[in-house]
């Protein structure tokens, strides 16, 4: 269709209107040809070819905006939305100048006999005036008169012969009028506009007029949807929709969506006729069109929900056939989440009422779609916790759909007829149920096992119940072969919600009815029978836990769950508003009654006994564990060695049972008590002891070491082929399964949380958008030294008990004057010490967590004597603050339990509710409840200090070193105290505040030990080899080499806990406040390995910077009480850098901006480029600068000038295993070291800033250096990671020294002592100076006074070399690095990462690129597709690149030679390749890039060889500058 030309056949009446010239655009003519050109330009709707969304309004109302709320009141403007609007009576009562002007313009438009030019001018003036009409326009507008005149000019009434220009401007004026004054739509409809618009669309003469009619319909349909339907608008709008551009199609479907919001029965035929067209539009390439069409169909189904006939007609019109593929084939990525969920809900609503829909869905294999939704959806994000939450969620909607397809097994539903009809469908066609079950059952079980909440669990359990009910026994037998339904049911029966428990018991009953012989044994082994018994055992002692939700709770305590948590009607597709008031189907005692019925009917003592209630393997384990516990308790000093051998034998038997032939279920593993027995064995009986005594004898220390050595040997046995064969692997898998089966860490969600301003009393009275808890402080009954304070106050949830004490102490202290002398300074300084408020109003953006303790390079001193004095005052100040913080004046209690000073009051309240067995929902009832907290005077500050800081005693006493040396025969480098997990074994508890009575505590304790055992496997095995050599079991030094198969770290990750943490962090309240439940922080502290790297990265972002998305938030470092404000992502600082002096520029940059929260952006002097690309390159350049050998920072091979002409390469330290600090002796040149110290200080700043701003460094630190950053102590075995030759020599020397020492201690084989040689050579003959290898200026001090190595000082030599290499020789450099790092953010925030993950975080990934990955993660646009020949050539060339060229290519594209964590898929913005067009021959052009957008402009070269040549030239010669491309 030619745009703006009259169609030849569009005038069937032969009115004889002359066709305008071909070059004339009657609707948008040039100024010289029509007065219509004077119409205001700001209307994008007139540009038909535009891709922008089209709106005919000059106001801020989008064409796609959903203005009407469905009640027929339009946009709700009380008086029409504009002061220009009339009262509708049409009487001309001009008020002021504006009113008179509008009146005059309307009269000019309505004037009879006006000439064409005058009429066009009047319409143009009116359009321009209406386009700028706003609320403050003032005056009076004659709405009715204007509507009458404009409708007539548009072709209504006697105005049928109007010219195209007049029609266009008239309809445009109506559009503007209805937009500015929504009530004007009533007037134009009353005067007959709708038939006029429909006629213009049904027979299109001029395209611009038709487009304007569509826009008018879009405005009018918002207020008059029914009238538009009755006028036939849908047929008119959709008739020629394919001829319009995408922007106009959006307007058209928006009008249809408005009209279909509430379709009455008498208008249904108008809608049904348009459904095929709407369904075809679902295939549109324009996302917004598809979104609007989906909204139309959703509204139509909602309107027809009460009519089975109409829904059946919709199904016959092809709605299901079009919607289902859209959902299944990637709709999640193409559509918005809400539309995607609503489309699933559309199918559920059809299946609820229409049998045609049910049968169609089965025939179209809807189960594969449901399977995909449940398998690919993140069950930890956005899951509704309450059935009535107004959330669009695809998982919830998919469960509703599944519940509608398989009829309910219960017969108490409202419409029994439809249930019976659905049952007949699946009975007549057994393949429907069979296919559905095979697809859906495994993902339902996986969803529950992954840690879904009670709401989702109930939905899954209901579907499984229905499937089992309608399946025949043989089908069930086949279906359940590959699914562990018994374990699934045991997990459900451990839940607390009575709806889930009832559904689980129903499934148990069905299976026992249909397959009793097959399932009784499994139910016993997997713990289902045990769970039923445990449920009945709770009937008397814990009835309140299972009371219905509407049972009243005491008024003095907050109501934890509201009345709307009944799940009985949660998955009804249509829920009336009265659903909240419907009675729960589960009565008060029905749960226990039904459980007792299941027990007495199917699990009687006789039946269970006949199946061997305790399986053989469980009996063996219980026996072994009992012996192990008894022998551990009876351990005596005089028979210690013999007893340890006996215990090792029993332990070996237990471990072999794990590896036995019979499969051990998770229930048997837990019920046997094996985990607790192993924990008690490894801790030498301390694990089961209740006392908190931290002072242990050396005998206890030795026993723990010996037992761990025995356990480690067994764990690493069967290492022969791979890590999968080790007993350690098997034990980890068992523990992970056990941890997954338990549900002790509930996700606490805020119900419908919205930020609202409120007043907080603590830590200081101020306004906050974060909810506050209401607290009433009560004096302890026995307290006589304090006064009462009975007011209920508001406490911000981030406030610590110390902040509460500072608020309360002046108000309850009786002798105020005497207390003032003891109190710390008040006022601002006091508040800065006391508060944990992370949302302080007067925060300073430029402040730093370390501010006040560290400033610039002032405290980085090279010489020991100066360093001590320079930082001494700051350290003393910090100590004073710390000591004061650890000496509370008040002790607080909740329900009689003393609260931990290091835990916030909010966390303590939540933990108390968790311990009480409640599912906590943070709704308005929670925030309105008042919590009673008791306070009293702190009696013993020293005892409290010890209890509050248990880590002070984590390290073993120093006098153990002598005892331990007798075991290891090794005093050089490696000690047991270095192992982070060893104090846990020594003390018999985890370094956290988790409840020791929790079933999961035992598992966490063992996983903590096993993960440490796995991580330090090289150290432990190497130390074992060294001990074997010393004792003569190994005679060849070559056998000292340890070959280790360690378990991949991923095996220690708990998917369930990771999902729970993700869900908890995405809760809106947590995202805003960074206040997590206690279990999150404590698990992350004690067992961070349980969470995936991605989850820990988000936790790090949340706790270190206060936000998951780096949006505006707050951050606080409680250790120094400095509050900082996190800048928004748009807060950026530009800094100009000298490319020829990067190091100096970096120092200036960090001096100015290290403490700033703004993101740094770099631009180079005399270059025009700025933004992401230059910034990424800056971090790459500074990384390379730090590697220069002239800085004296790193150990390694110095560049050799001989034999190389590459001056660039020769400038850098050669460290093949990564960079590690060069040792500096305290006696060396003070001035030289001062420069080195400054460099390390700067390096710390740069590394921290790179992490904070998510930049990538190209600097190959060694694993040992990352360990130092994380605060870990290094030993002789860590030298292997950066200097393997030195490490091997030292370990061999150490082995010789240990053999000599062992022989001397046993006073035998004196000949072997004198004949001690190193590979056939006497030690003295090696002629090794007593200096640090590679650093002759670093002289080691020998106690014997010898200047060279000999057999007597061999052990001393190894000790001094290790000390200088990884301890004292690099200590000052690391202190400088850490001081610089802490200026940006606290270094201890990185403790959640391992050394490997820290490298990934800082330096990104070296991704492997295969063809499929490249196609998936590269966007091709503007002339290129994935199948374009130049693109295929490019991908092949990239794949063929070596490491050097690949790094150069990446730096050319992104500014960095490395990819971010996550590889190519994580590149943001996405790597994009577009066609570069040029007038000259493409083969003479070079590719160019926009590094800020990762945007490659690639000419279409004639051949692959030419492309390779030009690309290599560009990536090698195009580096080093940023200019316009």
């Amino acid at each position: 269709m030619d745009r703006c030309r009259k169609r030849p056949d569009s005038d069937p009446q032969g009115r004889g209107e002359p066709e305008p010239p071909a070059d004339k655009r009657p609707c948008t003519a040039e100024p010289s040809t029509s007065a219509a050109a004077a119409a205001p330009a700001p209307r994008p709707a007139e540009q038909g070819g535009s891709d922008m969304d089209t709106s005919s309004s000059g106001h801020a109302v989008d064409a796609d905006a959903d203005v009407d709320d469905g009640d027929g009141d339009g946009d709700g403007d009380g008086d029409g939305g504009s002061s220009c609007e009339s009262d509708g009576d049409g009487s001309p009562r001009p008020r002021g100048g504006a009113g008179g002007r509008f009146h005059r313009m309307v009269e000019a438009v309505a004037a009879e006999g006006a000439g064409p030019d005058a009429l066009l001018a009047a319409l143009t003036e009116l359009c321009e005036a209406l386009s700028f009409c706003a609320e403050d326009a003032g005056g009076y507008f004659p709405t009715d008169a204007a509507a009458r005149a404009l409708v007539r000019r548009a072709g209504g009434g006697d105005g049928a012969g109007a010219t195209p220009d007049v029609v266009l401007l008239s309809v445009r004026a109506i559009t503007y009028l209805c937009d500015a004054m929504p009530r004007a739509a009533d007037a134009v409809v009353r005067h007959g506009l709708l038939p006029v618009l429909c006629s213009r669309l049904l027979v299109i003469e001029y395209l611009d007029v038709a487009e304007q009619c569509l826009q008018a319909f879009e405005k009018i349909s918002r207020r008059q949807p029914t009238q538009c339907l009755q006028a036939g608008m849908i047929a008119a709008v959709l008739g020629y929709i394919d001829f319009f551009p995408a922007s106009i199609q959006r307007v058209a479907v928006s009008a249809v969506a408005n009209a279909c919001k509430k379709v009455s029965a008498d208008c249904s035929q108008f809608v049904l006729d348009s459904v095929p067209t709407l369904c075809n539009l679902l295939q549109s390439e324009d996302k917004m069109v598809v979104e609007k069409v989906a909204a139309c169909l959703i509204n139509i189904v909602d309107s027809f929900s009460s009519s089975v006939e109409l829904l059946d007609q919709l199904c016959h019109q092809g709605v299901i056939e079009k919607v289902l593929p859209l959902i299944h084939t990637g709709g999640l990525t193409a559509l918005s989440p809400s539309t995607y969920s609503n489309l699933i809900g559309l199918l559920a609503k059809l299946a609820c009422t229409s049998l045609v829909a049910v049968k169609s869905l089965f025939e179209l294999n809807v189960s594969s779609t449901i399977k995909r939704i449940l398998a690919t959806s993140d069950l930890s994000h956005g899951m509704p916790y309450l059935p009535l939450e107004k959330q669009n969620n695809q998982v919830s909607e998919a469960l509703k759909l599944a519940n509608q397809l398989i009829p309910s097994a219960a017969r108490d539903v409202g419409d029994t007829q439809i249930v019976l009809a659905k049952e007949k469908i699946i009975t007549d066609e057994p393949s429907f149920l069979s296919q559905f079950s095979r697809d859906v059952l495994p993902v339902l079980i996986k969803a529950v096992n992954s840690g879904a909440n009670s709401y989702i669990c109930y939905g899954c359990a209901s579907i499984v119940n229905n499937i089992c009910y309608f399946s025949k026994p043989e089908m069930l037998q086949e279906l359940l072969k590959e699914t562990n339904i018994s374990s699934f049911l045991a997990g459900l029966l451990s839940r607390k919600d009575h709806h889930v428990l009832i559904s689980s018991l129903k499934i148990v009953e069905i299976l026992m009815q249909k397959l009793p012989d097959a399932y009784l044994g499994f139910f016993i082994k997997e713990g289902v029978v045990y769970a039923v018994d445990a449920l009945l055992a709770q009937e008397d002692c814990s009835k309140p836990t299972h009371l219905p939700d509407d049972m009243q709770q005491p008024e003095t305590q907050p109501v934890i769950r509201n009345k709307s948590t009944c799940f009985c009607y949660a998955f009804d597709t249509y829920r009336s508003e009265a659903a909240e008031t419907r009675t729960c189907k589960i009565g008060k005692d029905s749960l226990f009654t039904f459980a007792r019925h299941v027990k007495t009917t199917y699990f009687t003592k006789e039946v269970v006994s006949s199946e061997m209630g305790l399986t053989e393997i469980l009996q063996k384990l219980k026996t072994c564990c009992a012996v192990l516990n008894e022998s551990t308790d009876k351990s005596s000093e005089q028979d210690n060695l013999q007893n340890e051998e006996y215990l090792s034998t029993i332990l070996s038997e237990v471990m072999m049972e794990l590896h036995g032939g019979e499969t051990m279920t998770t229930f048997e593993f837990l019920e046997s008590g094996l985990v607790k027995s192993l924990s008690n064995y490894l801790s030498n009986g301390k694990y089961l002891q209740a006392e908190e005594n931290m002072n242990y004898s050396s005998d206890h220390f030795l026993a723990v070491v010996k037992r761990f050595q025995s356990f480690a040997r067994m764990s690493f046995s069967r290492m022969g082929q791979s890590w999968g064969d080790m007993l350690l692997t098997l034990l980890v898998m068992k523990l992970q399964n056990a941890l997954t089966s338990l549900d002790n860490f509930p996700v606490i969600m805020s119900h419908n949380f919205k930020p609202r301003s409120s007043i907080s009393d603590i830590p200081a009275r101020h306004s906050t958008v974060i909810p506050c808890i209401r607290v009433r402080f009560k004096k302890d009954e026995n307290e006589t030294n304090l006064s009462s304070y009975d007011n209920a106050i508001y406490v911000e949830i981030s406030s610590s008990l110390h902040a509460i004490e500072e608020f309360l102490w002046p108000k309850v202290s009786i002798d105020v004057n005497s207390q003032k002398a003891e109190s710390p300074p008040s006022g601002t300084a006091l508040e800065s010490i006391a508060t944990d408020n992370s949302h302080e109003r007067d925060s300073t953006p430029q402040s730093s967590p370390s501010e006040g303790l560290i400033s610039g390079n002032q405290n980085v001193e090279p010489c020991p004597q100066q360093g001590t004095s320079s930082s001494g005052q700051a350290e003393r100040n910090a100590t004073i603050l710390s000591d004061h913080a650890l000496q509370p004046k008040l002790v607080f209690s909740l329900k009689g339990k003393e609260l931990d000073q290091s835990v916030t009051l909010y966390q303590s309240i939540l933990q108390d509710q968790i311990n009480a067995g409640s599912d906590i929902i943070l709704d308005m009832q929670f925030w309105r409840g008042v919590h009673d907290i008791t306070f009293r005077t702190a009696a013993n500050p020293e005892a409290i200090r010890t209890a509050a800081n248990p880590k002070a005693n984590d390290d073993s006493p120093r006098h153990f070193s002598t005892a331990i040396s007798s075991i290891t025969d090794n005093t050089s480098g490696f000690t047991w105290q270095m192992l982070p997990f060893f104090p846990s074994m020594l003390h018999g508890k985890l370094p956290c505040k988790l409840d020791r009575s929790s079933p999961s505590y035992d598992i966490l304790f063992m996983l903590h030990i096993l993960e440490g055992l796995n991580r330090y496997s090289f150290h432990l095995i190497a130390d074992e080899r060294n001990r074997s050599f010393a004792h003569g079991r190994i005679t060849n030094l070559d056998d000292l080499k340890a070959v280790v198969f360690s378990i991949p770290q991923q095996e220690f990750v708990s998917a369930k806990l990771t999902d729970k943490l993700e869900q908890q962090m995405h809760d809106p309240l947590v995202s805003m406040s960074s206040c997590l439940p206690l279990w999150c922080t404590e698990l992350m502290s004690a067992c961070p390995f349980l969470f995936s790297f991605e989850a820990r990265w988000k936790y790090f972002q949340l706790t270190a910077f206060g936000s998951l998305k780096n949006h505006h938030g707050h951050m606080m470092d409680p250790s120094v009480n400095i509050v900082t404000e996190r800048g928004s992502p748009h807060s950026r600082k530009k800094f100009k850098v000298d490319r020829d002096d990067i190091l100096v520029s970096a120092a200036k940059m960090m001096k100015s901006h290290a403490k700033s929260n703004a993101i740094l952006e770099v631009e180079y002097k005399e270059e025009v480029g700025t933004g992401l690309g230059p910034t990424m390159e800056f971090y790459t350049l500074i990384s390379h600068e730090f590697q220069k050998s002239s800085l004296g920072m790193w150990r390694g091979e110095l560049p050799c000038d001989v034999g190389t002409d590459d001056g660039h390469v020769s400038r850098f330290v050669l460290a093949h295993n990564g960079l590690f600090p060069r040792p500096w002796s305290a006696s060396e040149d003070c001035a030289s070291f001062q420069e080195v110290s400054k460099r390390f200080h700067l390096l710390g700043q740069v590394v921290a800033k790179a992490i904070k701003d998510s930049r990538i460094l190209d600097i190959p630190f060694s694993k040992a250096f990352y360990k130092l950053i994380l605060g870990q102590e290094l030993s002789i075995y860590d030298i292997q990671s950066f200097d393997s030759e030195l490490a091997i020599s030292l370990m061999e020397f150490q082995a010789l020294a240990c053999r000599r020492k062992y022989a001397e201690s046993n006073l035998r084989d004196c000949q072997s002592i004198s004949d001690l040689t190193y590979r056939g050579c006497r030690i003295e003959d090696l002629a090794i100076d007593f200096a640090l290898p590679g650093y002759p200026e670093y002289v080691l001090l020998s106690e014997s006074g010898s200047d060279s190595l000999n057999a007597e000082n061999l052990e001393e030599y190894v000790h001094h070399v290790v000390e200088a290499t990884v301890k004292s020789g690099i200590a000052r450099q690391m202190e400088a690095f850490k001081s610089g790092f802490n200026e940006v953010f606290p270094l201890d925030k990185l403790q959640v990462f391992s050394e490997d993950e820290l490298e990934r975080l800082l330096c990104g990934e070296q991704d492997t690129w295969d063809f499929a990955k490249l196609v998936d993660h590269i966007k091709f646009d503007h002339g290129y597709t994935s199948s374009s020949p130049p693109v295929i050539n490019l991908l092949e060339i990239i794949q063929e690149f070596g490491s050097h060229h690949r790094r150069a290519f990446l730096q050319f594209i992104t500014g960095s030679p490395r990819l971010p964590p996550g590889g190519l898929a994580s590149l943001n913005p996405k790597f994009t390749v577009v066609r570069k067009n040029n007038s000259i021959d493409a083969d003479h052009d070079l590719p160019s890039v926009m590094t800020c957008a990762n945007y490659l402009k690639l000419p279409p070269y004639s051949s692959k060889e030419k492309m390779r040549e030009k690309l290599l030239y560009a990536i090698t010669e195009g580096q080093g500058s940023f200019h316009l491309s």
Side-chain angles (χ1 to χ4, degrees), residues 691-926:
E691 71 269 10
E692 297 293 329
N693 181 21
M694 293 295 179
N695 297 318
Y696 304 119
S697 66
S698 58
D699 291 329
H700 170 70
F701 190 93
L702 294 174
V704 170
V705 171
K706 286 184 177 180
R707 291 180 180 187
F708 180 71
Q709 289 172 342
S710 299
F711 179 74
R713 278 195 300 271
M714 295 176 198
S715 299
F716 289 129
S717 63
R718 301 177 180 268
M719 193 185 283
Q721 302 300 322
S722 67
W723 60 269
D725 298 325
M726 293 189 296
L727 290 175
L728 176 63
T729 306
L730 182 63
L731 189 54
V732 169
M733 292 172 58
K734 292 289 185 185
L735 289 167
Q736 286 288 10
N737 291 336
L739 187 62
T740 300
S741 70
L742 300 174
D743 196 31
N744 301 116
F745 305 107
V747 178
I748 301 172
M749 304 299 290
S750 55
H751 177 42
N752 289 339
F753 169 74
K754 293 180 181 178
R756 296 181 178 89
S757 180
S758 60
I759 300 298
S760 166
D761 296 306
I762 297 178
R765 189 167 181 82
H766 70 285
S767 177
T768 177
V769 294
I770 299 176
C772 299
I773 48 177
R774 295 183 66 194
V775 180
R776 183 188 295 113
F777 292 102
K778 294 184 176 181
K779 186 180 66 170
D780 188 271
E781 296 177 357
N782 300 322
E783 180 59 58
T784 58
N785 297 325
L786 300 174
S787 60
S788 299
Y789 186 81
D790 297 327
N791 298 336
I793 61 175
Y794 289 90
V795 179
E796 196 167 289
I797 59 177
S798 60
S799 300
S800 67
L801 291 183
H802 187 72
I804 295 173
E805 179 190 275
E806 291 297 335
F807 169 86
L808 199 60
W809 179 254
K811 297 173 175 56
V812 300
S813 175
I814 295 176
D815 188 2
V816 179
N817 292 328
S818 64
Q819 295 298 341
K820 281 184 178 179
E822 300 176 10
S823 301
S826 59
T828 306
L830 177 62
E831 290 179 5
S832 69
I833 297 173
T835 183
D836 269 8
N837 176 23
S838 60
H839 295 266
E840 191 73 44
R841 289 167 296 168
D842 298 327
S843 58
T844 306
Q846 299 298 323
S847 63
S848 164
S850 316
E851 192 174 2
L853 298 181
I854 300 172
S855 177
N857 293 334
Q858 294 176 4
N859 67 328
V860 182
E861 296 293 339
C863 301
Q865 62 272 22
Q866 297 175 358
T868 303
S869 60
S870 65
S871 59
Q873 185 60 43
E875 291 174 359
R876 283 193 295 275
N877 292 341
T879 303
I880 292 171
L881 294 178
S882 177
D883 286 346
H884 173 75
L886 291 173
Q887 296 181 16
K889 303 180 184 69
L890 296 176
V891 174
F892 299 94
S893 300
L894 173 63
K895 297 180 181 179
K897 183 178 180 181
E898 187 174 315
L899 300 182
D900 193 315
Q901 288 284 336
S902 61
V903 177
T904 66
L905 178 60
Y906 172 68
Q907 287 180 320
S908 297
I909 291 173
L910 293 185
Q911 192 60 40
D912 175 71
Q913 303 296 345
I914 292 173
N915 295 339
S918 303
D919 284 346
I920 305 176
I921 303 295
L922 302 180
D923 54 8
M924 290 306 297
Q925 291 174 317
F926 176 85

Side-chain angles (χ1 to χ4, degrees), residues 15-217:
R15 287 192 288 262
E17 181 179 337
E19 182 175 348
D23 62 344
K24 180 180 179 183
R25 293 178 57 87
C27 303
T28 54
E30 295 296 325
S32 60
T33 59
S34 172
R43 299 298 173 191
E46 299 169 271
Q47 306 301 323
S50 171
D51 288 331
M52 300 297 290
D53 190 14
T54 308
S55 173
S56 299
S57 168
H59 307 280
V61 180
D62 189 87
D64 293 20
D66 204 0
V67 177
D68 191 357
D69 60 1
D71 59 5
D73 293 330
D75 62 355
D77 294 342
D79 58 356
S82 173
S83 58
C84 303
E85 188 170 352
S86 75
D87 56 6
D89 62 1
S91 58
R93 294 183 291 114
R95 298 181 301 172
R101 184 166 63 93
F102 280 125
H103 184 71
R104 177 184 54 77
M105 287 187 286
V106 171
E107 287 183 338
V109 171
E112 297 289 343
D117 292 340
L119 185 57
L120 286 174
L123 285 168
T124 300
E125 184 183 11
L126 181 60
C127 286
E128 186 172 358
L130 286 172
S131 69
F132 294 105
C133 181
E135 295 288 342
D136 57 352
Y140 164 78
F141 190 87
T143 306
D144 200 69
R148 184 187 306 111
L150 289 172
V151 170
R152 186 168 65 86
R153 293 301 182 190
D158 58 354
T163 64
D165 284 354
V166 171
V167 172
L168 173 67
L169 290 178
S170 299
V171 177
R172 181 175 297 158
I174 291 171
T175 305
Y176 294 171
L177 177 64
C178 292
D179 184 44
M181 290 163 272
R183 290 186 180 180
D186 303 342
V188 296
V189 170
R190 188 167 60 249
H191 288 290
L193 175 66
L194 298 183
V196 175
L197 296 180
C198 287
S199 65
R200 297 288 180 185
L201 290 172
L202 290 172
V203 181
I204 298 179
E205 296 182 82
Y206 298 97
L207 203 58
D208 283 1
V209 174
E211 291 178 359
Q212 195 63 58
C213 290
L214 289 173
Q215 295 178 54
F217 262 135

Side-chain angles (χ1 to χ4, degrees), residues 1091-1196:
F1091 305 100
S1092 69
F1093 170 76
E1094 291 74 18
R1096 278 179 283 129
W1097 164 247
K1098 294 174 185 176
Y1099 178 90
F1100 165 71
Q1101 289 284 334
L1102 184 67
T1103 55
F1105 309 130
S1107 171
L1108 288 177
K1109 299 179 180 178
N1110 292 339
H1111 57 62
H1112 187 75
H1114 294 81
M1115 175 179 66
M1116 179 176 180
D1117 176 22
S1119 63
V1120 292
N1121 303 290
I1122 301 295
V1123 181
T1124 63
E1125 184 173 355
R1126 175 78 170 153
S1128 71
H1130 303 292
S1131 174
R1132 299 177 182 272
K1133 297 277 188 181
K1134 287 191 177 181
F1135 194 88
K1136 188 158 288 190
V1137 168
D1138 185 357
R1139 187 183 288 275
D1140 296 326
D1141 204 354
I1142 289 290
L1143 214 56
V1144 173
S1145 297
K1148 292 179 181 177
M1149 177 193 292
M1150 292 303 156
K1151 184 176 181 181
S1152 303
H1153 302 300
K1155 301 175 184 179
S1156 170
N1157 288 307
I1159 295 176
L1160 293 180
E1161 283 191 355
V1162 168
E1163 57 180 321
Y1164 297 99
K1165 292 181 179 179
E1166 301 179 359
E1167 295 180 25
V1168 295
T1170 186
L1172 180 62
T1175 305
M1176 295 294 285
E1177 192 194 38
F1178 164 76
Y1179 281 100
T1180 299
L1181 294 177
I1182 192 65
S1183 299
H1184 296 167
E1185 199 73 17
F1186 275 121
Q1187 299 175 50
K1188 287 186 175 179
S1189 58
S1190 59
L1191 299 181
M1193 297 175 65
W1194 312 108
R1195 66 182 296 128

Side-chain angles (χ1 to χ4, degrees), residues 981-998:
F981 59 90
F982 189 76
S984 296
M985 288 193 299
L986 195 65
H987 304 146
K989 68 174 188 175
L990 286 170
C992 65
K993 303 175 183 65
L994 295 174
D995 183 12
R996 296 192 67 171
S997 63
S998 170

Side-chain angles (χ1 to χ4, degrees), residues 1001-1015:
Y1001 190 91
D1002 303 334
I1003 300 171
L1004 294 173
F1005 182 85
M1006 276 308 301
L1007 282 172
H1008 178 68
I1009 303 300
L1010 295 182
E1011 193 274 338
L1013 174 62
N1014 183 67
R1015 182 174 297 184

